[in-house]
Amino acid sequence: MRLLNALKNDIRFQMKYGFYFLYAFFSAVYIAVLLITPREYKSITASLIILTDPAMLGLFFMGGIWLLEKGEGLHGFWSVSPLRPVEYVWSKSVSLAVLSTVSADLIVLSAMRTGVNLVLLSFSVFLGAVVFNLMGLMAASFARSVNHYMIIVLLPAVLLSMPPVLTAFGITHPLLEIFPGTALWHLINLSVHGSRSIHGRMWMNLLIWLGIALFLADKRIGAALESEGGGGT
């Protein structure tokens, strides 16, 4: 019940500050791009757009959400809140991942219409977005301002985006397959091509990264909220 209430509050917060409008705007832009993309390049373009737009936008937007809450003094109520750190972390990452998933589905349905495994696309984008959101939330907890956050998050963004981009353009190496972004790109690309296979290795990759990111985020965010809550009392 606490987690459900937290999710509702996070969705209202995201709507209040225009995150839904931003996702709608970016989705419309990328739909337009895909509609004018030649057919032979449409699948790989769609895969990269979905990876870098709805799935990875959360990595940057998470910083904005954290800093907005911090600016409003909401973190100061942590010491009297019944919400546990892991519930706070889940709520933030899942609420934005749902938005990323809806955006990805709308982009593909509007621009490609047929030949897409929408179930595989939805689950892969959702899981990948949760992983990226958790990493963004951890990075945001160290930031003092938006500009500071953009500096902090630059390295995680490069590590998450460059391996799949290199893989997409045929530059492959076993080490690149370790990164969660590469596994997510494979799943997105396969879903865009209508694949019906299970792809267990890539799912295992994302699930391992989910476990690591959730454990680290729980520890880091719990400490950060306790520090800010204590400072506000």
Side-chain angles (χ1 to χ4, degrees):
M1 182 61 69
R2 289 196 306 262
L3 180 58
L4 181 60
N5 289 332
L7 280 169
K8 292 178 180 177
N9 288 332
D10 281 329
I11 290 172
R12 284 195 290 265
F13 185 88
Q14 292 160 16
M15 293 179 67
K16 174 184 176 181
Y17 283 99
F19 287 94
Y20 277 58
F21 171 78
L22 286 172
Y23 267 88
F25 172 76
F26 282 116
S27 297
V29 169
Y30 284 118
I31 287 170
V33 170
L34 282 175
L35 287 174
I36 63 174
T37 299
R39 181 177 298 275
E40 60 267 29
Y41 301 115
K42 185 165 289 190
S43 294
I44 188 171
T45 303
S47 301
L48 289 173
I49 281 176
I50 293 169
L51 174 71
T52 59
D53 179 51
M56 289 195 66
L57 272 180
L59 185 67
F60 293 94
F61 284 171
M62 192 60 71
I65 292 172
W66 174 271
L67 291 169
L68 282 169
E69 286 189 346
K70 184 176 182 178
E72 290 190 354
L74 297 179
H75 295 166
F77 295 102
W78 172 254
S79 59
V80 295
S81 171
L83 203 65
R84 295 182 298 167
V86 69
E87 292 169 333
Y88 177 93
V89 165
W90 266 122
S91 177
K92 287 286 180 293
S93 56
V94 168
S95 59
L96 210 55
V98 169
L99 187 53
S100 295
T101 305
V102 172
S103 177
D105 289 347
L106 287 175
I107 290 171
V108 167
L109 288 173
S110 300
M112 302 190 70
R113 297 186 178 87
T114 59
V116 177
N117 185 339
L118 200 61
V119 174
L120 175 60
L121 177 70
S122 299
F123 277 102
S124 57
V125 169
F126 176 80
L127 181 56
V130 170
V131 174
F132 293 165
N133 292 343
L134 289 169
M135 295 180 178
L137 188 58
M138 282 188 284
S141 68
F142 292 97
R144 299 185 297 272
S145 65
V146 173
N147 289 337
H148 188 211
Y149 176 72
M150 296 306 293
I151 295 172
I152 292 172
V153 81
L154 183 60
L155 179 59
V158 170
L159 290 176
L160 288 171
S161 61
M162 285 307 297
V165 170
L166 292 173
T167 302
F169 287 98
I171 303 173
T172 60
H173 190 277
L175 287 177
L176 296 179
E177 300 297 321
I178 297 173
F179 292 90
T182 305
L184 177 58
W185 180 81
H186 281 307
L187 289 170
I188 292 172
N189 188 49
L190 288 164
S191 68
V192 168
H193 285 89
S195 173
R196 301 291 174 180
S197 301
I198 296 176
H199 317 297
R201 180 174 59 84
M202 285 166 277
W203 285 111
M204 184 61 65
N205 178 306
L206 286 179
L207 287 171
I208 290 172
W209 277 106
L210 174 63
I212 294 171
L214 182 60
F215 174 79
L216 295 176
D218 181 26
K219 299 298 183 183
R220 170 58 198 167
I221 298 305
L225 289 173
E226 286 290 347
S227 176
E228 292 188 27
T233 57

